[in-house]
């Protein structure tokens, strides 16, 4: 019998001694003995393994013989079979590293994917800043320009490019990437389905110092033991995600309408209503083309954005040369102080518009995906930032000579000769920026779904080369309808701009808090540096937030309501999913019952393999009892398959499946956990999936047989040593280091060791017989698997729904029985997500009371 040793999720040292019962014939899954990470109740006694085995007439003699051969031996601690499987990695998997040359090649590619949103901010920043309080002097223009310059330097460059990008999760960015990074280092997830072996996925491992700081350990312990902190962390992540989705609604409306506004400058007869209609048409076309994927239209994206940035820089240089270089004084931050000193109310209200120069910073992080951090940093520093600064300097130079022209500043500053080509490029850049933000939302929704925080939706992969390029039809049309509603409701970039600032700041503040936790917990940065980061950026963002909140009454409250609805949807889904999982764990079938049923499970075992899908990582699900009672026969081999999403982007295929036996060997029942990261493509062909699963099962059985053989050899060596020992008492060392004396005198002093050679020969013969028996047993089991597979594979799927108990609170009944039930009814079912062939599917429904 296996005894626990070491910390949870940690393999014990091999040199420590341990006493345990060894039963020839293999060990099976014993949930009750393990240190469970389920975090919920529902355990049985370990003596179930030695209980009655009724209903198995052929196995009675073997079982009795097995019990007679059971013996207590001293061996090294045996690792959990799931952990052994996870540790068997032929090669290390790492996120692809890019050289400097490769990073330069990626510079153009990152423009269209990463920097589209931040690159179109010059279309509307000054318009929003001077919306309510027009500038009255050149000093006001210099102060506003200085605000823009240092906002660009502090938020997109210093915070995101130099700091936040390094918080990526194996190359993946976004709010949920930060959350999964925290959950990987500390068990902070509310879903209690993490196994110790999950932390040994090669892409799960973190590059942290070997000696952890005391502060990091205290934070980790506090996160793992406080359910309140776990809930608070999840609430922050869900709030940030809801603001990202809201940002994805406002970004297309703001970018496209700002670009279309250029028509009002070129054609004086165009009015605001016509601008809205043209914007609506562009948005419909934009979201209709979204299904074709980035890879199919990507050839024109990079060059188009490159031309756009060149236009920004060229127009800026032209305006500086034409209207004077006095604007260069704005690099002196003292003009910000003068700006607030002269007009404190105007300066404070202009902060909401100033923040829009940093829009797209979060999208830059969320779209990191397949580009290295170095390539993104190189592109932003060498191309994007200089072009943006030149663009804003040029607009400010124009404003200083045209103080009354506060609307459509960018288009008015364009030289007449190139006006229409620039309008065309600006419109194209705005469409690209909108599309980039929508793609980032698709990625975040998939991450949230994988971590149990968003209802399942249909996900289409638009590229065979890049699995991160996805399309979610329902979300795409939802964003379109919401975006059209915002455009038609507000009808002006000034009103939309206020809502835009609220969405951006909500995401930025959540990112600052999560990165601060990562600095303390994982990076283990000096506390003074952490406090400086938190004080500077959170204080700056709260200062900006106070400005945009002043415009909530103007219509921005609509966006807050929209984000609140999204937050409730995600929280209710996570709450219901957590309750459902905990209930399934509590009601799983006990090992006592399985032993009483016997190897035939109280029914007829028909040839074939049954793959029973469930969400438990340990134990026999309650839904299996319904299959036994409703079906006239059950398959000769049963594999409990748990499709488990772990908080890593990608799980290497050789670490995909973990196996363990359920019950003794003659039951032919196995547990299989198929682990997928939130960026993994779960679209294998059923035949391919079955083939990989069977091959992994055979590999597990061979390794198990090899371990038993090595274990048997070790036991024989121990027996030989004990036979020639001359000590007066036998000493056992327990797993906790305690020493016990059995008080059994040896007869060596009286009888002596008459023939040690004979004893060795006898031991050798016994070992040879056991080896031959083990090999025959292995061959028979592999042959059994092949015959079962030839008979066919059937998918057994159980639908478990939950209902609140009658004595529950009204709020719980409302959430579970109506809201969560509505979401489950209208979301994508597990059968569609798993791509199970309908011709080989059997389903049983079950309802749990929570």
């Amino acid at each position: 019998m296996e005894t626990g040793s070491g910390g949870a999720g940690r393999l014990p040292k091999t040199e420590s001694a341990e006493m345990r019962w060894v039963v020839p014939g293999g060990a099976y899954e014993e949930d009750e003995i393990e240190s469970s990470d389920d975090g919920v109740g529902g355990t049985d006694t370990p003596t179930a393994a030695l209980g009655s085995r009724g209903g198995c007439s052929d196995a009675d003699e073997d079982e009795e013989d097995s019990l007679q051969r059971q013996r207590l031996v001293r061996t090294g601690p045996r690792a959990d079979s799931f952990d052994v499987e996870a540790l068997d990695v032929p090669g290390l998997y790492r996120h692809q590293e890019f050289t400097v040359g490769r990073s330069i090649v990626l510079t153009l590619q990152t423009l269209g994917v990463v920097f589209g949103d931040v690159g179109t901010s010059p279309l509307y920043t000054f318009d929003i800043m001077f919306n309510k309080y027009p500038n009255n002097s050149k000093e006001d223009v210099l102060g506003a320009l200085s605000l823009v310059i240092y906002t660009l330097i502090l938020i997109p460059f210093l915070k995101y490019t130099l700091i936040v990008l390094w918080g990526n999760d194996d190359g993946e960015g976004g709010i949920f990437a930060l959350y999964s990074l925290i959950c990987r280092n500390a068990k902070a997830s509310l879903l209690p389905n993490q196994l110790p072996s999950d932390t040994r996925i090669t892409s799960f491992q973190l590059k942290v110092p070997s000696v952890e700081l005391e502060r990091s350990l205290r934070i980790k312990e506090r996160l793992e033991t406080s359910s309140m902190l776990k809930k608070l962390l999840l609430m922050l992540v869900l709030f940030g995600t809801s603001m990202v989705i809201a940002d994805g609604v406002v970004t297309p409306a703001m970018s496209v309408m700002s670009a279309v506004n250029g028509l009002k400058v070129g054609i004086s007869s165009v009015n605001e209503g016509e601008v809205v209609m043209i914007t609506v048409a562009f948005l419909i076309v934009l979201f209709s083309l979204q299904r074709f994927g980035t890879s199919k239209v990507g050839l024109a994206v990079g060059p188009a954005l490159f031309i756009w940035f060149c236009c920004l820089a060229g127009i800026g240089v032209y305006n500086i040369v034409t209207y004077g270089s006095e604007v260069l004084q704005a690099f002196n931050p003292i003009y910000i102080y003068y700006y607030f000193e002269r007009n404190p109310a105007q300066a404070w209200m202009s902060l909401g518009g100033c923040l829009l120069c940093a829009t797209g910073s979060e999208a830059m992080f969320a779209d990191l995906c397949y580009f290295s951090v170095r390539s993104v940093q190189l592109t932003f520093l060498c191309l994007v930032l200089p072009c943006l600064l030149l663009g804003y300097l040029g607009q400010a130079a124009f404003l200083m000579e045209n103080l009354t022209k506060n609307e459509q500043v960018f288009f008015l500053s364009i030289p007449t000769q190139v006006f229409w080509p620039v309008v065309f490029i600006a419109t194209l850049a705005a469409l690209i920026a909108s599309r980039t933000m929508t793609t980032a939302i698709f990625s975040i929704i998939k991450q949230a779904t994988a971590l149990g925080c968003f209802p399942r939706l249909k996900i289409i992969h638009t590229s065979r080369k890049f699995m991160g390029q996805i399309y979610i039809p329902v979300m795409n049309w939802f964003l379109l309808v919401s975006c059209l509603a915002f455009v038609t409701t507000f009808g002006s970039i000034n009103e939309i701009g206020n809502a835009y600032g609220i969405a951006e700041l909500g995401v930025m503040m959540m990112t600052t808090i999560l990165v601060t936790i990562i600095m303390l917990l994982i990076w283990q940065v000096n506390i003074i540096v952490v406090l400086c980061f938190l004080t500077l950026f959170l204080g700056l963002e709260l200062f900006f937030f106070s400005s945009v909140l002043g415009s909530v009454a103007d219509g921005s409250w609509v966006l807050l309501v929209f984000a609140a609805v999204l937050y409730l949807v995600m929280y209710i889904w996570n709450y219901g999913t957590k309750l459902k999982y905990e209930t399934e764990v509590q009601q799983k079938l006990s090992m006592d019952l399985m032993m009483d049923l016997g190897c035939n499970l109280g029914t007829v075992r028909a040839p074939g393999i049954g793959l029973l899908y469930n969400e438990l990582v340990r134990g026999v699900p309650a839904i299996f009892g319904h299959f036994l009672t409703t079906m006239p026969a059950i398959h000769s081999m049963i594999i409990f398959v748990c499709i488990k999403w772990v908080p890593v982007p990608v799980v290497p295929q050789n670490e995909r499946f973990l196996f363990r036996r359920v019950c003794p060997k003659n039951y032919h029942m196995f547990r299989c956990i198929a682990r997928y990261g939130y960026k993994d493509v779960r679209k294998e062909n059923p035949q391919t999936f079955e083939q990989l699963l069977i091959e992994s099962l055979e590999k597990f059985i061979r390794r198990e047989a090899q371990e038993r053989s090595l274990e048997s050899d070790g036991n024989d060596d121990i027996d030989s040593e004990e036979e020639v020992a001359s000590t007066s008492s036998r000493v056992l060392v327990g797993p906790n280091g305690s020493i016990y004396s059995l008080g059994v005198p040896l007869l060596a002093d009286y009888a002596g060791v008459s023939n040690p050679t004979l004893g060795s020969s006898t031991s050798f013969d016994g070992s040879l017989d056991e080896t031959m028996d083990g090999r025959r047993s292995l061959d028979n089991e592999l042959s059994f698997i092949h015959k079962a597979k030839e008979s066919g594979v059937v998918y057994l799927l159980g639908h478990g729904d939950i209902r609140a108990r009658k004595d529950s609170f009204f709020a719980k009944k409302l959430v579970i029985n109506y809201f969560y039930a509505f979401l489950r009814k209208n979301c994508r079912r597990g059968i569609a997500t798993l791509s199970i062939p309908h011709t080989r599917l059997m389903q049983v429904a079950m309802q749990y009371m929570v």
Side-chain angles (χ1 to χ4, degrees), residues 152-173:
L152 273 175
I153 292 174
L154 288 176
I155 295 181
F157 178 61
L158 182 59
K159 177 187 173 182
Y160 279 91
T161 306
L162 297 185
I163 300 177
V164 175
L165 287 184
W166 292 111
N168 67 85
D169 186 14
D170 197 22
E172 304 295 338

Side-chain angles (χ1 to χ4, degrees), residues 5-6 36 61 132 181 203 241 384 426 581 696 698 710 774 804 814:
S5 63
S36 175
E61 295 182 1
K132 294 185 177 180
L181 199 60
S203 53
T241 304
V384 176
Y581 181 83
S696 299
E698 293 176 352
L710 294 174
L814 184 65

